[in-house]
Amino acid sequence: MALVSGKQILDEAKKGKYGVGAYNVNNMEQIQAIMSAAKETKSPVIIQASRGALKYSNFTYLGYLMKAAVIENPDIPTAMHLDHGNSLESAIKAIELGFSSVMIDGSLLEDGKTPSTYDYNVKVTKSVVEYAHKAGVSVEAEIGTLGGIEDGVGSGKIHLTDPKEAKKFVDETGIDSLAIAIGTSHGAYKFKGASKLAFDVLTEIRNLIDIPIVLHGASSVPKELIEAVNKYGGKMPGASGVPIESLQEAIKLGVQKINVDTDGRLAITAAIRKVFAESPEKFDPRDYLGPARESLKELIKSKMIAFSTAGHSGDYAPISLETMKKEYK
Ligand SMILES: [Zn+2]
């Protein structure tokens, strides 16, 4: 099986100058869709579960489903990642479930809303790095805050990352990848007008730090999907996201990990609404979850191609977490 750490995938992406999507999962159909997309496009992949998703599945269920994805796809380098861990305890829980990568979001306090202090962020991040690296598991942390609320994550206010502080943070914590705030936000309503990302801040950060960079809240909220949702009874006026061209520009400027959750939710919701609207007699969950899975697979494939992840699954020999343990010493 090809479970690899997040660090291995992102270091390769950095070398190869391409991006890797990290796709959020809650259930079997999402996981299958993402893995099929990875297989068909020959892409390494990061499947990630938020704290909320793990809690929803009573923790072990989702963990086992993600492990099944790894076992079923030995040719696909796959990282199992915890999205927005908020404490050392949440990271330990994920590592015990077999995750190969964890995020500790110390940019907010444990309530997931209140912006923390720099010192708090350093302290909690360091504690996770120390624990995770002993297990060969890599660590992503965040500095600066994103806008929007997703799964209860986010302060709703945007504070762009300060490049000098980012450099200091990376040096002080020993993390493997850094999530930065350059204007993206969680959710389906990212921009009131045209989207605007602070590429100058990104460039400044890239020049100062050497580890992979992560963009959260990077769904594109495609117009076709919003139109489909609304056409079949949904109500999402004014939804907007980060255009795919902006993400490609960000990859060119040095972003490696791109978090995508909202777009997957939209693809699933649009497909299910369509079945319900067009075939009201149907009541077998497979009749709507099947099309939802197919629609999500196509969406993820298009991301893998757009981020240039496609074709890179065989570029490197996946390293086991045992090997990573030695590397971290
Ligand atoms: Zn996020």
Side-chain angles (χ1 to χ4, degrees), residues 260-321:
V260 175
D261 188 359
T262 296
D263 285 354
R265 296 176 179 194
L266 290 172
I268 289 169
T269 301
I272 291 177
R273 280 192 177 282
K274 184 167 190 276
V275 174
F276 285 170
E278 289 179 348
S279 314
E281 74 286 359
K282 288 195 169 158
F283 65 94
D284 182 337
R286 290 170 297 184
D287 285 341
Y288 50 87
L289 295 178
R293 180 172 61 189
E294 191 56 31
S295 170
L296 180 60
K297 183 183 89 177
E298 290 307 318
L299 173 94
I300 304 289
K301 272 170 74 175
S302 73
K303 303 262 180 212
M304 287 168 166
I305 293 163
F307 300 160
S308 300
T309 331
H312 286 290
S313 65
D315 281 7
Y316 55 100
I319 311 162
S320 72
L321 296 192

Side-chain angles (χ1 to χ4, degrees), residues 24 48 83-84 103 105 140 142 146 150 153-154 179 185-186 214-218 257 259 261:
N24 282 76
Q48 62 183 13
D83 192 21
H84 289 283
M103 178 195 188
D105 182 359
E140 169 188 331
E142 177 171 320
L146 284 96
E150 188 176 75
V153 169
S185 60
H186 291 124
V214 183
L215 272 195
H216 280 242
K257 178 171 178 272
N259 283 14
D261 188 359

Side-chain angles (χ1 to χ4, degrees), residues 64-121:
Y64 282 127
L65 282 171
M66 291 165 81
K67 270 188 202 160
V70 172
I71 292 165
E72 292 280 317
N73 295 280
D75 300 336
I76 305 293
T78 306
M80 290 167 58
H81 178 74
L82 170 70
D83 192 21
H84 289 283
N86 66 339
S87 62
L88 176 60
E89 290 67 44
S90 61
I92 291 174
K93 219 165 175 175
I95 292 167
E96 281 172 353
L97 282 173
F99 281 51
S100 60
S101 178
V102 292
M103 178 195 188
I104 171 69
D105 182 359
S107 71
L108 303 168
L109 295 178
E110 274 192 42
D111 67 4
K113 287 187 191 95
T114 317
S116 70
T117 61
Y118 175 85
D119 291 340
Y120 171 87
N121 197 351

